[in-house]
């Protein structure tokens, strides 16, 4: 399998950004509407600078974008980045489902071919002389 290094780096940044619960919270809030960094910071028990760093990680991953409105910087969610993450996860799921199906087919017992009917299993019990021939 050939891996596109540039795309892989972008996916690494994307999933790294999504790995933090604070950043996921910022992303959820921005998905409802544009918010200033100050509005975002008001909801978290951390410094304004810490929230700015979280927003910066989200921006580098392409999950949010910022624009100026007067003195404020508004943060907007970018849904296309989440679509990229979904596609990457879908590709991985398809890959692994295919592998599981191939392993399952290797583990299934072979079915008899039409030319060679299945043989009856042999009984390995020894004949008990106390029993009659019909038993």
């Amino acid at each position: 399998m050939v891996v596109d290094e540039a795309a892989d780096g972008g996916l690494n940044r994307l999933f790294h950004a999504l790995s933090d619960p604070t950043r996921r919270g910022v992303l959820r809030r921005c998905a409802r509407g544009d918010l200033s960094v100050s509005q975002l910071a008001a909801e978290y028990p951390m410094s304004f600078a810490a929230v700015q760093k979280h927003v910066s990680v989200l921006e580098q991953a392409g999950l949010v974008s910022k624009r100026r409105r007067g003195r404020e910087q508004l943060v907007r969610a970018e849904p296309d980045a989440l679509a990229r993450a979904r596609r990457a996860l879908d590709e991985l799921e398809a890959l692994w489902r295919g592998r599981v199906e191939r392993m399952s087919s290797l583990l299934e017992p072979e079915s008899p071919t039409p030319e060679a009917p299945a043989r009856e299993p042999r009984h390995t019990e020894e004949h008990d002389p106390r029993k009659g021939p019909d038993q």
Side-chain angles (χ1 to χ4, degrees):
M1 172 169 53
V2 177
V3 177
D4 181 354
E5 298 270 339
D8 195 39
L11 284 175
N12 287 342
R13 281 190 298 280
L14 183 69
F15 285 111
H16 168 73
L18 291 171
S19 70
D20 184 85
T22 300
R23 290 192 287 266
R24 289 192 306 270
V26 167
L27 188 58
R28 275 189 211 99
R29 292 179 61 213
C30 290
R32 292 186 210 120
D34 298 359
L35 294 170
S36 70
V37 177
S38 299
Q39 290 171 315
L40 290 168
E43 295 293 317
Y44 296 100
M46 61 182 74
S47 69
F48 178 83
V51 173
Q52 276 184 309
K53 286 181 183 178
H54 282 295
V55 170
S56 177
V57 171
L58 290 168
E59 186 177 27
Q60 289 170 7
L63 289 161
V64 299
S65 61
K66 291 190 289 190
R67 67 178 174 87
R68 279 225 174 264
R69 184 179 69 187
R71 292 180 41 188
E72 292 183 312
Q73 284 207 331
L74 295 179
V75 182
R76 163 181 284 166
E78 296 294 338
D80 289 346
L82 286 177
R84 276 193 345 258
R86 177 78 258 154
R87 280 192 306 272
L89 290 172
D90 288 344
E91 289 172 13
L92 285 172
E93 180 182 14
L95 174 78
W96 280 103
R97 285 189 184 278
R99 287 181 179 180
V100 168
E101 287 173 14
R102 286 190 299 278
M103 285 191 295
S104 294
S105 69
L106 290 172
L107 296 173
E108 288 176 2
E110 291 186 29
S111 58
T113 59
E115 299 86 32
R119 292 193 299 178
E120 295 281 328
R122 287 185 169 180
H123 295 286
T124 58
E125 296 177 17
E126 292 184 23
H127 176 67
D128 187 350
R130 292 175 287 170
K131 294 182 181 178
D134 296 330
Q135 296 175 344

